[in-house]
Amino acid sequence: MSGITSSAEPITDGQTAQIKTFVEHALRKSGVGKDGAQLIIARGDDLKDRLTTIFEELGIENEFADEKVEPDTDYSYDIRTLPGSDEQLAHQLERLELKGIEAIRITVVETMGEGAEGFGAIPSLTDLGKLWGIDDPLGAGYGQVLERLLGYLKTTRDGKFYSYLSDFGSDYVRLHSQARRIWERLEQLQSAEEGKIRFFVVPINFGHKYQGFSPRNARTDALAKGTMPLDPATVAALLLGWSKWQEKFENLVVDCPGAEYSWYADGEWTISCYFIFNDGRLKFNAYDAGIPYDRCGAAVAFPGVLQIAD
């Protein structure tokens, strides 16, 4: 594994300040008291060595950066058909048969910023899990949430939906660890309320930004830039809110690298899921996360710097 090269641009004062903030937050969260803090100070050399290792690991450049091809401009989608976030939310409540459930709308970022195409309303996976009696929706129960959402896609598409994947146990599909951490931070923005469902309104790029990238290249690049690679459950929910996103063959295939799939449940997490429209219906499948295609693009969200309470 290669480290940071000497040719890298120097770190800025602003970046240093942000990293210091993260370290301070971790220290407070650890619950270490005055005596414990003094022990850490006494072991300062050990602390510096460990932090250096962590910084080197996290600061490694994207090793998959070359996994991309020239985008095929014949494949796209009409972003003008994207409904407003309130309309998306209403569509999702109706299509998830949750019209009687009160929605809590949480605006995560108020302005779209560079790279975003529009605002998306994404339901809390934790709240969906509770409503459906699924334990640990961001962990072992993630596949059950995904499977349930795929079922609603089939219903709302008048049966014109097909999944090539049939195994959704925790050995087959899971949130990528870093994508899961972003989800957990989103969930901390506002406490859950019994019998209600939170919707997070965030700026999104629905595939154009990473068209031609392999899924793992898109995921690595997005995470390095503080962007959230979307998982298939989240994309399925967005599709329920914006049906015109995938309604014809010429639409860009949607990669979902925020989750990982294992063909044989053997611990090899090298597969990425995607949605495609062909043969007159929406389809769900997966392929090698290291292969770039010119008509595929990863969907990503821009949650900004999430403000987490101590």
Side-chain angles (χ1 to χ4, degrees):
M1 181 169 59
S2 59
I4 302 172
T5 64
S6 58
S7 61
E9 290 186 38
I11 187 170
T12 68
D13 290 343
Q15 289 173 323
T16 299
Q18 283 186 297
I19 292 171
K20 285 180 179 178
T21 299
F22 296 146
V23 174
E24 289 172 1
H25 174 76
L27 179 60
R28 291 195 299 271
K29 190 176 180 181
S30 71
V32 170
K34 181 179 178 180
D35 291 342
Q38 192 58 46
L39 285 172
I40 292 172
I41 293 169
R43 300 165 181 166
D45 288 342
D46 185 30
L47 173 63
K48 286 186 286 186
D49 288 344
R50 294 191 191 189
L51 285 176
T52 298
T53 300
I54 291 170
F55 291 150
E56 287 177 347
E57 289 178 352
L58 295 179
I60 290 173
E61 295 179 3
N62 182 0
E63 60 184 309
F64 311 119
D66 292 336
E67 294 178 357
K68 58 183 177 181
V69 295
E70 193 69 23
D72 187 336
T73 55
D74 289 338
Y75 295 95
S76 188
Y77 47 83
D78 187 356
I79 194 64
R80 295 173 300 179
T81 66
L82 173 68
S85 56
D86 286 335
E87 187 178 349
Q88 293 176 50
L89 192 157
H91 286 326
Q92 290 179 62
L93 286 174
E94 179 181 1
R95 292 164 183 171
L96 291 169
E97 300 175 346
L98 298 174
K99 287 196 72 174
I101 300 295
E102 183 179 342
I104 303 173
R105 187 186 191 278
I106 303 166
T107 301
V108 180
V109 179
E110 294 185 356
T111 56
M112 286 203 295
E114 184 179 357
E117 298 177 298
F119 286 96
I122 55 178
S124 161
L125 299 185
T126 298
D127 292 355
L128 285 177
K130 288 182 179 178
L131 289 169
W132 293 336
I134 297 171
D135 294 329
D136 195 12
L138 299 180
Y142 173 78
Q144 297 175 61
V145 174
L146 171 59
E147 187 173 20
R148 189 78 173 256
L149 284 162
L150 295 178
Y152 282 112
L153 270 179
K154 185 173 183 178
T155 300
T156 57
R157 293 261 175 161
D158 297 323
K160 295 180 179 179
F161 173 82
Y162 182 76
S163 175
Y164 289 94
L165 308 180
S166 57
D167 295 309
F168 296 99
S170 59
D171 290 337
Y172 285 92
V173 65
R174 68 181 184 183
L175 280 171
H176 183 271
S177 58
Q178 288 175 271
R180 176 176 177 172
R181 282 198 287 273
I182 297 174
W183 253 116
E184 289 170 344
R185 291 170 184 169
L186 277 175
E187 302 274 9
Q188 291 177 37
L189 291 176
Q190 186 164 327
S191 299
E193 296 185 38
E194 194 69 31
K196 299 180 182 181
I197 181 168
R198 293 166 294 171
F199 280 82
F200 303 101
V201 179
V202 292
I204 291 177
N205 184 287
F206 296 87
H208 283 138
K209 179 178 175 64
Y210 286 109
Q211 184 177 356
F213 284 58
S214 73
R216 66 183 182 185
N217 182 11
R219 177 175 62 220
T220 305
D221 186 80
L223 289 169
K225 295 175 179 176
T227 307
M228 178 184 185
L230 296 186
D231 60 276
T234 301
V235 171
L238 287 167
L239 283 164
L240 289 170
W242 180 23
S243 57
K244 289 185 179 295
W245 185 12
Q246 287 286 311
E247 64 169 2
K248 54 187 176 181
F249 177 75
E250 293 79 14
N251 287 158
L252 187 66
V253 177
V254 188
D255 283 334
C256 312
E260 302 167 298
Y261 198 83
S262 176
W263 280 124
Y264 306 107
D266 57 2
E268 295 293 327
W269 299 96
T270 58
I271 308 299
S272 185
C273 299
Y274 67 92
F275 289 91
I276 183 174
F277 190 95
N278 64 17
D279 297 328
R281 57 181 173 171
L282 179 65
K283 298 179 180 180
F284 181 66
N285 205 348
Y287 72 104
D288 190 321
I291 299 177
Y293 286 108
D294 56 6
R295 64 168 300 193
C296 300
V300 296
F302 301 81
V305 180
L306 296 172
Q307 301 299 315
I308 309 303
D310 291 335

